[in-house]
Amino acid sequence: MQRKTFIIFFTVVTVSLVVSGTACSQSVFGMNFIGEHRFGGNARTAALGYSGIALTDTSSAITMNPASLSDLSRVTFSLFELLSFSRIERTDIQSNRTRFQIPSAAVAVPLHDGLVFSLGYRTRFAGKDDFSIQSEIEDLPAVNENYKLNSSLFSVPFILAWKPVDWLRVSGEFQLERGSIKDQVSVSIEDPLYSTATSSRTRSFSSGSWAVSMLMRVHPRLWVGGSYDESIDYTVSEITEYSLESLNESSTWDFSLPAAFSAGFAAGVTDRWWLTGSYWERQAPEPDGFPQFEGALGDENLFAVGVERRSAAEGGAISRIPLRIGFYRNRWHMEFPQGEPVVSSFFTVGSGFSVPGGPGDLDLTLEFGKIGSVENNKIDEKVFRLGISINFSEVWSRRKIVRH
Amino acid sequence: MRRYLIITVILAMIAMAAVFSCCSSDPEGPVASVFIEDGSYPSDAGETVRYVNTLNNVTAVDVPVGIGKSSLLRLGETEGIRFESILMRFDFDSIGNYADLTVDSVYLDLPVTIVQDTLFHLKVTFNELLEDFSDEDTITAIPSFDPDPVLGANGETVRDINIERVRFSIDEAMVQGWIDGGIPWQYGIAVNWAEEPDSSGLIEMYSENYGSDPPVLKVIFTDESSAVFPVVEDYVVTSFSGDGLDCVGGVAMRLLFEFGLEDLPEDAMIQYSALVLHTDGGKGLGATGGDILLGLTSDFIFYLYTPDSPDIYDPGFLEGTGVAANLFLATMSAEVRIPLVGFTLDLHAGKRENTGLVLQSNQENSRFQRASFYDMAAGDSLRPYIEVVYTLPADFSGE
């Protein structure tokens, strides 16, 4: 019954994700370049400001450090969903937006004690925008320029995590890199007699990449972790289509994201109170295919710190739930305008509780922050994010066949 | 099981919240446009342009057309359309039944239904036709006739038709000759204008095609018996005397519009195109009084096509590929826009040879109508032109 129920549940969840996955929430800045970078992890690590590269995790299949998957002893399915509410401001105008992103999902299957295989999905970069600009032309009804962007570069990681000794976890990961950036511009005129002139450009990205990570216990209260993602060399197939079909064209070109690395620590001040810190960096990519960013792409980095008060086995209700706070500062690759990097700064807070009825938990995170600044970037976005991750797991065993 | 139920409900709530929340964003154009202005966002809509082509030439082409099966016969002139002659042929097959009778009086009875102006009158003569005609033919000139008019009872030759006078006497001696073995009007008669009328006007009467009450020649004998010889074939010979840019049905006059679209950029994405004309309602004819009595409307139904041949003397000029058909009121001064839809797209894409456009009345074989347009000499606001609205391709280069 358990396996059947698991499969039914997995199907329901997948359908739910497909339904909800028709849009992605990202910062308005994500409409540029290859989109907003989404860091890996779950609601727990998000609540710690994405500082959990050195965190051990025994309940989630979505982690910042895949090496920690080797601690899973049950088949585990995890989801992480992030909803975003923001107010975008320029000096004189503002706009509210409410969006969400395609959830990250992963399933991890223990193959042997300390050896875990995992498969999942996560969005690396995403952008979505849909807006109109109206113009007036003499002797014509109002002309609307409708812009639509939908971009998502995602990764399907195949991970093998191993715990060779009690103090060390390592992982190797092959990532199938796919995605597309679609820009569409349609010019419509407010009169049904006028047809709409449409131009669209679709860039399909495909690649594969490798990554390795490690998690090491230096001391019972001190863990260090790190990861290395090799460069992603995308092959980009670009198709440009117009209402006037004779103008259609296609091309293929290459785009590379340089290798990235991260390193961090988790230090236990007491049994329950832990400090975490992470640093992530990737050098500036070449602006191949993005000539508008010639000289306007810099190194991206993430500096994150967090504090976690872990749940206690005893005590009152407050003591039994974990509390987490964090802060992170993310400098984007993109500079807007040239020479002015786009920087995100967020405070995070979160908690979690066990799912009733069995192994598994539900974590929540709230993020409050700002992306860009009117002073430096002409535009900023004040963001509130709500993240929810769900983990559940159970032991899978071979069914015994009893013959009578 | 409870665990899965709870998690499923939570996920469903998240999914629903996400689906509904994505619809709640404010319009972002004004704020996001900063990236377009700065060139950071690579998409930039192409320029939208309203292009006006004032045409190379417009020619009114006279196409031989006649209406032989009309329910109405007309005499007179209205809006430049001249109804110059009515041809009538009678059924004299029964005349042998009246041998030995003596003719007392003879009348040509015309079933006039309406006169455009009650004061309008027209002087006409009745002339015997010397050659045959058929209402199946296209007749643009009056067939040959005896120049000496048919005499009236009192020897009169010129008759005055008006609203009160629709019955005209015929010389009894001539008809008595037919009774006595002579040959009656073999090809019929033509009712011709005796002179130009003082003013334009129209006299309309039912034709034999109407189905009842046709024109008849009525003979009254001295024994007070009578004989009626109905018209079995009739026709109105018509011409058009307008000198402007006119599209006329029933006569007929078509308009050829010649133009070139070489000025359009090759990468123009055409969103709209139209032939724009301006009617001079004062010269238009939608429906005559007789038409309205028959229940016809004043709508001028047009047909626009691109001819197979641009040569107006080539039979291919008279037919081609349809571009548009619609209607407008020819009696009202207004702008008439005829969308060219796919025609301009095909032309621009080189899929079609530019042989121009021809405008005709779509009822030129059944209705007398006139649509008068301002010509190329009119001001910019009234002259005919072709309007094309296009947008250039978006620029995704980000440069």
Side-chain angles (χ1 to χ4, degrees), chain B residues 149-159 169-171:
Chain B
V150 172
L151 299 177
N154 300 315
E156 69 271 28
T157 56
V158 176
R159 322 299 180 95
S169 67
I170 302 294
D171 178 26

Side-chain angles (χ1 to χ4, degrees), chain B residues 104-358:
Chain B
D104 179 58
S105 59
V106 183
Y107 298 98
L108 177 61
D109 210 342
L110 300 178
V112 172
T113 60
I114 191 166
V115 176
Q116 186 172 319
D117 182 341
T118 53
L119 299 178
F120 179 69
H121 64 101
L122 186 67
K123 293 187 185 322
V124 297
T125 60
F126 303 146
N127 299 83
E128 183 179 356
L129 288 169
L130 301 178
E131 60 177 305
D132 201 5
F133 74 93
S134 168
D135 61 9
E136 302 283 348
D137 295 340
T138 294
I139 303 170
T140 55
I142 306 170
S144 61
F145 57 84
D146 185 347
D148 294 329
V150 172
L151 299 177
N154 300 315
E156 69 271 28
T157 56
V158 176
R159 322 299 180 95
D160 192 19
I161 300 182
N162 56 56
I163 190 65
E164 295 175 340
R165 187 149 194 262
V166 295
R167 181 184 250 199
F168 303 95
S169 67
I170 302 294
D171 178 26
E172 304 93 13
M174 178 184 68
V175 178
Q176 186 64 58
W178 301 344
I179 299 293
D180 295 341
I183 299 174
W185 296 325
Q186 184 178 1
Y187 302 119
I189 62 170
V191 182
N192 296 324
W193 290 12
E195 59 188 48
E196 287 284 334
D198 297 334
S199 61
S200 67
L202 205 57
I203 295 167
E204 296 179 90
M205 64 194 81
Y206 291 127
S207 77
E208 63 91 13
N209 293 293
Y210 180 66
S212 65
D213 195 17
V216 296
L217 186 68
K218 187 170 185 180
V219 181
I220 299 170
F221 298 101
T222 52
D223 63 357
E224 297 188 349
S225 64
S226 63
V228 173
F229 304 102
V231 166
V232 292
E233 196 130 16
D234 49 29
Y235 197 100
V236 181
V237 180
T238 315
S239 66
F240 176 65
S241 59
D243 56 357
L245 203 58
D246 300 294
C247 185
V248 187
V251 174
M253 190 77 77
R254 299 183 185 180
L255 297 176
L256 169 64
F257 300 91
E258 297 172 90
F259 58 94
L261 296 179
E262 294 79 12
D263 297 346
L264 279 181
E266 284 186 8
D267 55 353
M269 298 191 287
I270 296 172
Q271 295 171 271
Y272 172 83
S273 65
L275 173 63
V276 184
L277 304 167
H278 290 84
T279 53
D280 183 350
K283 295 178 179 176
L285 173 63
T288 65
D291 287 335
I292 291 170
L293 283 180
L294 291 176
L296 301 175
T297 69
S298 297
D299 295 332
F300 186 94
I301 302 175
F302 67 84
Y303 176 65
L304 185 74
Y305 67 96
T306 180
D308 290 342
S309 168
D311 181 357
I312 61 173
Y313 301 107
D314 189 311
F317 174 79
L318 300 179
E319 54 194 17
T321 305
V323 173
N326 209 330
L327 53 85
F328 59 87
L329 278 177
T331 52
M332 189 171 73
S333 293
E335 179 185 85
V336 176
R337 285 180 168 264
I338 307 175
L340 302 180
V341 198
F343 170 74
T344 315
L345 287 172
D346 287 350
L347 210 61
H348 184 240
K351 296 178 181 175
R352 182 189 295 281
E353 184 186 357
N354 185 0
T355 54
L357 288 167
V358 177

Side-chain angles (χ1 to χ4, degrees), chain A residues 128-148:
Chain A
K128 181 177 175 65
D129 261 291
D130 189 348
F131 59 91
S132 296
I133 298 173
Q134 194 169 78
S135 60
E136 291 184 2
I137 297 175
E138 192 177 351
D139 295 329
L140 283 186
V143 177
N144 293 308
E145 296 175 1
N146 309 299
Y147 293 85
K148 189 173 185 179

Side-chain angles (χ1 to χ4, degrees), chain A residues 55-340:
Chain A
L55 271 185
T56 56
D57 196 327
T58 58
S59 63
S60 179
I62 301 172
T63 63
M64 283 193 73
N65 190 334
S68 73
L69 293 175
S70 61
D71 283 320
L72 295 177
S73 58
R74 298 183 182 92
V75 174
T76 303
F77 177 68
S78 298
L79 278 174
F80 177 36
E81 166 73 320
L82 198 62
L83 291 92
S84 171
F85 311 85
S86 69
R87 169 166 291 186
I88 308 160
E89 290 184 332
R90 287 167 60 181
T91 49
D92 51 347
I93 49 179
Q94 62 184 30
S95 172
N96 295 327
R97 59 164 29 186
T98 306
R99 298 272 175 83
F100 63 100
Q101 76 170 51
I102 296 177
S104 300
V107 59
V109 180
L111 304 176
H112 193 269
D113 285 346
L115 184 64
V116 175
F117 171 76
S118 173
L119 172 66
Y121 167 92
R122 77 177 182 92
T123 302
R124 278 189 182 276
F125 296 90
K128 181 177 175 65
D129 261 291
D130 189 348
F131 59 91
S132 296
I133 298 173
Q134 194 169 78
S135 60
E136 291 184 2
I137 297 175
E138 192 177 351
D139 295 329
L140 283 186
V143 177
N144 293 308
E145 296 175 1
N146 309 299
Y147 293 85
K148 189 173 185 179
L149 163 79
N150 210 335
S151 77
S152 173
L153 301 188
F154 61 89
S155 179
V156 178
F158 299 81
I159 303 170
L160 201 59
W162 184 36
K163 183 165 66 172
V165 290
D166 192 45
W167 51 270
L168 180 65
R169 288 109 173 102
V170 294
S171 73
E173 184 176 357
F174 173 72
Q175 300 167 115
L176 204 58
E177 310 285 357
R178 293 288 185 274
S180 64
I181 300 175
K182 182 170 185 179
D183 295 283
Q184 181 173 302
V185 181
S186 60
V187 177
S188 60
I189 298 172
E190 291 182 356
D191 185 323
L193 290 174
Y194 293 73
S195 65
T196 299
T198 305
S199 307
S200 71
R201 183 185 66 181
T202 305
R203 294 172 155 184
S204 299
F205 290 67
S206 64
S207 180
S209 70
W210 292 92
V212 291
S213 57
M214 58 77 70
L215 183 61
M216 188 170 69
R217 188 186 68 200
V218 180
H219 179 273
R221 286 190 184 168
L222 180 61
W223 292 76
V224 293
S227 68
Y228 177 80
D229 281 89
E230 75 153 350
S231 66
I232 307 174
D233 299 317
Y234 288 105
T235 297
V236 184
S237 174
E238 179 173 315
I239 298 174
T240 313
E241 297 174 297
Y242 301 94
S243 299
L244 187 60
E245 290 181 5
S246 60
L247 300 176
N248 293 357
E249 55 188 14
S250 62
S251 63
T252 302
W253 44 278
D254 296 326
F255 173 76
S256 291
L257 275 177
F261 73 91
S262 64
F265 71 94
V269 180
T270 66
D271 283 347
R272 294 182 62 197
W273 288 89
W274 286 73
L275 296 176
T276 53
S278 291
Y279 180 77
W280 179 96
E281 182 179 303
R282 179 170 50 222
Q283 291 186 333
E286 293 296 323
D288 300 330
F290 301 90
Q292 72 273 29
F293 284 105
E294 186 71 49
L297 292 179
D299 296 349
E300 179 177 358
N301 57 50
L302 172 77
F303 168 75
V305 292
V307 177
E308 181 178 42
R309 192 205 69 173
R310 295 181 178 174
S311 58
E314 298 176 346
I318 300 297
S319 296
R320 289 171 179 269
I321 63 171
L323 295 176
R324 302 160 187 138
I325 58 170
F327 169 81
Y328 70 91
R329 180 183 183 279
N330 176 209
R331 182 209 190 276
W332 295 33
H333 281 307
M334 185 182 92
E335 294 176 353
F336 179 82
Q338 185 173 352
E340 290 293 346

Side-chain angles (χ1 to χ4, degrees), chain A residues 5 9 12-13 16 19-20 28-29 31-32 79 81 88 90 93-100 129 131-133 137-140 143 145 147-149 183 185 187 189 193-201 240 242-244 247 291-293 336 355-356 358-359 362 378-379 388 390 392-394, chain B residues 1-8 10-12 14-50 266-272 337 339 345 348-349 387 389 391-394 396-399:
Chain A
T5 307
F9 175 71
V12 170
V13 168
S16 300
V19 170
S20 67
V28 69
F29 288 91
M31 64 188 280
N32 304 288
L79 278 174
E81 166 73 320
I88 308 160
R90 287 167 60 181
I93 49 179
Q94 62 184 30
S95 172
N96 295 327
R97 59 164 29 186
T98 306
R99 298 272 175 83
F100 63 100
D129 261 291
F131 59 91
S132 296
I133 298 173
I137 297 175
E138 192 177 351
D139 295 329
L140 283 186
V143 177
E145 296 175 1
Y147 293 85
K148 189 173 185 179
L149 163 79
D183 295 283
V185 181
V187 177
I189 298 172
L193 290 174
Y194 293 73
S195 65
T196 299
T198 305
S199 307
S200 71
R201 183 185 66 181
T240 313
Y242 301 94
S243 299
L244 187 60
L247 300 176
Q292 72 273 29
F293 284 105
F336 179 82
V355 174
L362 189 149
K378 302 180 184 177
I379 180 171
I388 302 174
I390 298 171
F392 66 97
S393 59
E394 62 184 34
Chain B
M1 191 62 198
R2 184 181 165 213
R3 172 168 69 125
Y4 299 113
L5 184 64
I6 291 170
I7 295 175
T8 304
I10 291 169
L11 286 173
I14 293 170
M16 289 182 66
V19 168
F20 289 110
S21 66
C22 71
C23 303
S24 66
S25 298
D26 284 352
E28 294 156 11
V31 287
S33 63
V34 66
F35 297 117
I36 295 177
E37 293 156 9
D38 199 77
S40 170
Y41 181 63
S43 304
D44 194 4
E47 183 186 10
T48 299
V49 178
R50 176 178 175 265
E266 284 186 8
D267 55 353
M269 298 191 287
I270 296 172
Q271 295 171 271
Y272 172 83
R337 285 180 168 264
L345 287 172
H348 184 240
E387 179 179 308
V389 176
T391 294
L392 294 173
F396 293 111
S397 70
E399 293 174 333

